[in-house]
Amino acid sequence: MKIWLAHHRHAFVSSLHRLATAPFATFFTLVSLGITLSLPAGLAAGLASLQQLADRLPAQGTLTVYIRTDASSDDRAALDRRVHALPGLASARFISRNDALHELSQHLGLPDLSAELPDNPLPDAWQLTPTRIDPALNREWSERLSHLAGVDLVLGDQVWVSRLNALVALGDRLTTFLAMLLAAGLVTISGNIIRLQILTRLPEIEVSQLIGATDRFIQRPFLYFGALQGLLSGVLAWGIVCIAIWLATPELGELARLYGSAFVLGYPTASAGLTLTAVAAALGWLGAWLALRYTLLR
Amino acid sequence: MIRFEQVSKRYPGGHDALHEVTLHIESGELVFLTGHSGAGKSTLLKLISAIERPTSGNIWVNEQNISRIRRSALPFLRRNIGLVFQDHKLLFDRNVIHNVLLPLDIAGFRRHDAFSRARAALDKVGLLDREKSMPVALSGGEQQRLCIARAIVSRPPLLLADEPTGNLDSGYTADIMRIFSEFHRTGTTVIISSHDPSAVPAGRQRIVRLDHGSLAS
Ligand SMILES: Nc1ncnc2c1ncn2[C@@H]1O[C@H](COP(=O)(O)OP(=O)(O)OP(=O)(O)O)[C@@H](O)[C@H]1O
Ligand SMILES: [Mg+2]
């Protein structure tokens, strides 16, 4: 047990030593790995914020059914029955064309709108609110209602939400793909650095084997080095993402304000950052492991 | 401690370096291995430390048949053997004391104990005042002594020295031989190879002579 601890301490100290003896090489490597990692990490942070925005949009899944102005009273009665027979209906509000014009004129601050218009151009409408937000339910409703006689148009407020959601899902896909690509890149870069290290340390490895070093003893410092390198580049990537968000926040806030939106780019959570560093460390370790497999297995 | 039974070694390329060697070395013996250049001295020492495998025959070290030793068991065989290499195999990227510390790191010694042991070993070979030097700054003879210090630092029960006096003048040769016989007196089995018969000190030591890969008596 003591020997085991001594071995691990030895490996850790010697890998730290290797990082410190070549500060420039270490710095450039870490920066390149950090930038590589910060790309998918930054994208993921942006997407998380966008997802939050989508979740916060005040959509209740409301559906508005516009009624043709020339609809007969039979058609209207049939529609009334169909509306109230809808599954999952929370409330149905009938908005007459006069009420609608009144609302509009108040909205626009033009109290005499009804007087000035020769004819009320607005249709009668039903505003339907479901018990739950469910795009499938909305689709079912609009299928049931849109082909009825007397119905002009069925519009849902969910359209924007589902568009945003689709966009976020697409972004998620892209980010996952990019993350996998760059993870492979990190493994390759880290593995290549370790491979070069192994090659420059072949004399030491050979002598160590001759005087009784186990394979584990020989591999351990390289594995530590790979993991440490990955860990540090993960921390760096975390830092890069935070700085980028910090730099972008005033401009984004201004932009969002102009659009009357509450969009804020959130900083990655602590658990996301820690996951990032842990994954980076694991990838660095994997790179070292692969390099050892292919360089020492002769 | 060491038993060779009809051991032959043919290197890839077809050269017979050893031919049907049968040999027995008791624990605690001091043995000189002599023979002309190319006689197979280094090969014999490499077979004992399992750096090379025999083509035929069996080799026992400490009751363990090492002709068919598993790779994973090699480190534990080697930790019991101190090796002085003909070509030194020093590490030029670290200073003298860190070269000597290597076997102790491998054995998992605590830093503090390791340093005092390494200094004691350097003291024995007369290099204590050079502990901070880099190996390139050492003369050929000093490098050889450093190699000896590295071989004895973990106090192995078996010491194999391949031409340890090759680069030394007669004064240092006598010094080195004294180190080895000191080591031998503490119970270590010591095998020293030399192509130069005059390097063997006068006395009643056992001499094993190789001639073109075969034992000559
Ligand atoms: N790796 C090798 N591959 C092929 N042949 C080898 C190899 N090592 C040694 N030999 C050959 O085996 C023979 C014995 O070599 P060995 O090194 O054992 O001799 P030696 O007695 O140690 O000689 P020296 O006194 O010059 O060191 C030599 O003829 C040598 O050319
Ligand atoms: Mg030789």
Side-chain angles (χ1 to χ4, degrees):
Chain A
M1 185 63 193
K2 258 193 191 141
I3 291 180
W4 183 84
L5 266 180
H7 275 158
H8 277 272
R9 204 187 46 215
H10 175 256
F12 184 69
V13 168
S14 82
S15 57
L16 267 184
H17 188 71
R18 285 179 206 181
L19 278 174
T21 43
F24 271 109
T26 303
F27 177 75
F28 285 119
T29 310
L30 289 182
V31 166
S32 67
L33 291 176
I35 291 172
T36 305
L37 275 176
S38 67
L39 248 100
L43 259 174
L47 279 173
S49 302
L50 212 60
Q51 181 68 61
Q52 268 181 11
L53 177 70
D55 292 346
R56 268 205 316 267
L57 280 186
Q60 276 120 31
T62 311
L63 214 64
T64 310
V65 182
Y66 296 100
I67 303 168
R68 296 171 67 97
T69 37
D70 59 354
S72 69
S73 55
D74 278 355
D75 291 344
R76 287 164 186 272
L79 179 62
D80 192 327
R81 278 198 306 280
R82 296 298 287 265
V83 159
H84 284 97
L86 286 175
L89 182 73
S91 70
R93 185 164 81 97
F94 182 79
I95 304 168
S96 73
R97 46 198 308 230
N98 288 335
D99 288 350
L101 187 65
H102 185 68
E103 244 173 61
L104 183 67
S105 62
Q106 269 190 343
H107 222 87
L108 296 176
L110 300 169
D112 320 330
L113 196 60
S114 44
E116 280 170 30
L117 283 175
D119 227 0
N120 182 354
L122 297 177
D124 290 331
W126 278 101
Q127 201 171 54
L128 311 175
T129 310
T131 48
R132 62 180 193 280
I133 301 174
D134 178 3
L137 187 66
N138 271 24
R139 230 171 299 123
E140 190 191 335
W141 284 7
S142 82
E143 268 165 27
R144 284 186 181 214
L145 302 176
S146 55
H147 66 273
L148 289 182
V151 170
D152 191 18
L153 189 65
V154 181
L155 270 185
D157 70 349
Q158 193 111 57
V159 174
W160 282 106
V161 177
S162 41
R163 275 183 199 167
L164 198 57
N165 273 328
L167 213 65
V168 170
L170 178 70
D172 254 348
R173 236 346 118 77
L174 269 171
T175 307
T176 308
F177 179 68
L178 198 69
M180 286 193 325
L181 212 65
L182 294 181
L186 188 131
V187 170
T188 318
I189 297 173
S190 162
N192 203 37
I193 289 163
I194 306 280
R195 191 182 66 85
L196 292 175
Q197 257 189 20
I198 294 169
L199 292 181
T200 58
R201 283 173 177 272
L202 275 181
E204 177 186 352
I205 291 171
E206 188 206 346
V207 172
S208 299
Q209 278 173 338
L210 287 178
I211 60 184
T214 56
D215 288 347
R216 275 163 183 262
F217 178 87
I218 287 166
Q219 295 179 4
R220 210 174 279 129
F222 295 105
L223 293 173
Y224 266 104
F225 186 91
L228 200 63
Q229 187 174 255
L231 185 110
L232 290 178
S233 59
V235 171
L236 206 67
W238 191 358
I240 290 174
V241 170
C242 287
I243 289 172
I245 291 174
W246 179 72
L247 286 177
T249 295
E251 274 71 26
L252 266 179
E254 183 61 21
L255 202 67
R257 206 180 51 74
L258 288 177
Y259 280 92
S261 142
F263 181 73
V264 274
L265 201 49
Y267 287 95
T269 58
S271 76
L274 290 177
T275 308
L276 174 68
T277 39
V279 167
L283 291 174
W285 186 92
L286 179 65
W289 186 83
L290 287 172
L292 287 164
R293 278 290 152 288
Y294 290 104
T295 318
L296 287 186
L297 220 75
R298 281 163 302 162
Chain B
M1 177 166 217
I2 298 167
R3 213 158 74 236
F4 274 57
E5 274 180 8
Q6 306 216 300
V7 173
S8 297
K9 172 67 185 177
R10 170 175 292 184
Y11 281 107
H15 187 87
D16 278 315
L18 285 181
H19 183 67
E20 306 243 315
V21 172
T22 298
L23 181 68
H24 193 169
I25 294 172
E26 296 286 351
S27 182
E29 261 192 287
L30 170 64
V31 177
F32 283 90
L33 189 61
T34 64
H36 59 89
S37 176
K41 305 179 294 293
S42 296
T43 303
L44 192 135
L45 295 179
K46 283 177 186 167
L47 287 173
I48 296 173
S49 47
I51 296 170
E52 295 286 353
R53 302 282 174 126
T55 316
S56 65
N58 286 307
I59 303 165
W60 276 271
V61 175
N62 283 328
E63 309 303 319
Q64 187 183 17
N65 188 341
I66 60 160
S67 348
R68 281 183 293 277
I69 191 170
R70 276 175 301 118
R71 194 183 130 74
S72 57
L74 276 180
F76 306 99
L77 171 75
R78 302 242 174 95
R79 283 182 205 178
N80 288 319
I81 303 177
L83 288 170
V84 178
F85 301 99
Q86 191 167 4
D87 55 354
H88 310 336
K89 295 199 192 298
L90 296 175
L91 297 177
F92 290 94
D93 63 347
R94 61 198 69 193
N95 63 21
V96 164
I97 192 142
H98 278 97
N99 267 278
V100 182
L101 282 170
L102 187 64
L104 302 176
D105 284 340
I106 289 170
F109 274 84
R110 296 242 305 282
R111 263 285 120 141
H112 184 76
D113 303 345
F115 266 101
S116 50
R117 273 192 178 223
R119 292 219 172 83
L122 283 174
D123 196 22
K124 275 215 180 73
V125 299
L127 283 179
L128 190 53
D129 54 333
R130 305 299 301 273
E131 66 170 85
K132 294 258 159 52
S133 307
M134 296 304 275
V136 273
L138 300 182
S139 72
E142 285 167 338
Q143 291 188 4
Q144 207 135 22
R145 279 144 64 198
L146 175 54
C147 189
I148 292 168
R150 187 180 64 189
I152 63 175
V153 70
S154 50
R155 297 177 199 153
L158 173 61
L159 188 65
L160 307 179
D162 199 356
E163 308 267 0
T165 56
N167 287 323
L168 301 179
D169 60 36
S170 51
Y172 268 128
T173 301
D175 272 356
I176 294 298
M177 287 306 170
R178 215 183 44 246
I179 294 169
F180 284 134
S181 55
E182 224 173 82
F183 229 73
H184 168 237
R185 269 201 299 279
T186 63
T188 306
T189 312
V190 181
I191 305 176
I192 304 167
S193 89
S194 173
H195 66 275
D196 175 14
S198 69
V200 180
R204 294 172 286 103
Q205 291 93 351
R206 179 171 173 197
I207 296 175
V208 171
R209 205 157 70 81
L210 281 172
D211 185 13
H212 292 99
S214 301
L215 281 186
S217 41

